[in-house]
């Protein structure tokens, strides 16, 4: 299926010089959405996944149905102040500043097989920070899946050899 045909390219969003790949038309198409989820399930169905971690916020959209179909628990990774219980946090750099991500300290147990899910791999900062959080809690990264990967930004380098599955790539 040609997923790219359902992605809207928005120039100068969120700031001048950025080409934003809007996935909402893709998600709005039930055939495309089902195909995306089915492809990810096929890729990871035999990986022994026990937890699916969705990165705020679009990782929640893909991660929840994956967790359901893989018979795994779903864990949100959120911005600071959004989780109500005891959290583990990591600060990391973005290309235009720094930020923090948080996960509940009891969300992942030592040795659990974890699939990380997000909509976009660009420079790899957010995904790399999430992988770090999971590893600090003792989780084993079974894979990292992205809907879109921007190859020229080389974000894979920040994921230290993790199994990466991207459904759509742009040069």
């Amino acid at each position: 299926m040609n997923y790219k045909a359902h992605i809207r390219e928005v120039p100068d969003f969120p700031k001048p010089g950025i080409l934003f790949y809007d996935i909402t038309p893709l998600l709005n198409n039930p055939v495309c959405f089902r195909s995306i989820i089915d492809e990810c399930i096929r890729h990871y169905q035999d990986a022994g996944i026990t937890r699916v971690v969705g990165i705020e916020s679009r990782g929640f959209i893909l991660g929840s149905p994956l967790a359901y179909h893989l018979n795994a628990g779903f864990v949100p990774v959120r911005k600071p102040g959004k989780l109500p219980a005891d959290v583990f946090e990591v600060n990391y750099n973005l290309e235009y500043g720094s930020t923090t991500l948080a996960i509940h300290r009891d969300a992942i147990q030592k040795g659990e097989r974890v699939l990380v899910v997000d909509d976009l791999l660009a420079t790899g900062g957010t995904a790399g920070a999430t992988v770090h959080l999971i590893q600090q809690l003792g989780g084993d990264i079974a894979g990292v899946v992205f809907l879109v990967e921007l190859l020229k930004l080389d974000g894979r380098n920040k994921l230290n050899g993790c199994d990466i599955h991207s459904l759509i790539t742009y040069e």
Side-chain angles (χ1 to χ4, degrees), residues 106 135 164:
D106 62 356
Q135 291 171 332
I164 299 170

Side-chain angles (χ1 to χ4, degrees), residues 60-162:
F60 300 173
I61 297 167
L62 302 173
S64 295
L66 286 176
Y68 173 81
H69 286 286
L70 294 170
N71 197 31
F74 178 79
V75 177
V77 167
R78 309 246 9 225
K79 295 173 185 167
K82 300 291 185 177
L83 294 173
D86 191 24
V87 297
F88 184 72
E89 294 182 338
V90 64
N91 296 312
Y92 67 101
N93 292 323
L94 298 165
E95 57 269 39
Y96 46 84
S98 63
T99 192
T100 303
L101 288 175
I103 190 171
H104 280 135
R105 286 189 181 267
D106 62 356
I108 295 170
Q109 304 305 310
K110 185 176 176 71
E112 286 194 295
R113 302 269 302 151
V114 179
L115 176 63
V116 178
V117 182
D118 204 3
D119 67 321
L120 178 72
L121 175 58
T123 62
T126 303
T130 300
V131 165
H132 177 74
L133 282 172
I134 293 163
Q135 291 171 332
Q136 292 297 309
L137 293 175
D140 295 328
I141 305 299
V144 188
V145 65
F146 300 97
L147 182 55
V148 175
E149 180 177 358
L150 305 179
L151 297 171
K152 69 181 177 183
L153 297 178
D154 205 24
R156 286 176 176 255
N157 280 338
K158 290 194 179 153
L159 298 177
N160 301 323
C162 291

Side-chain angles (χ1 to χ4, degrees), residues 41-53:
I41 291 166
R42 279 190 303 274
H43 193 82
Y44 290 105
Q45 65 188 357
D46 297 324
I49 307 294
T50 57
R51 296 284 182 268
V52 174
V53 171

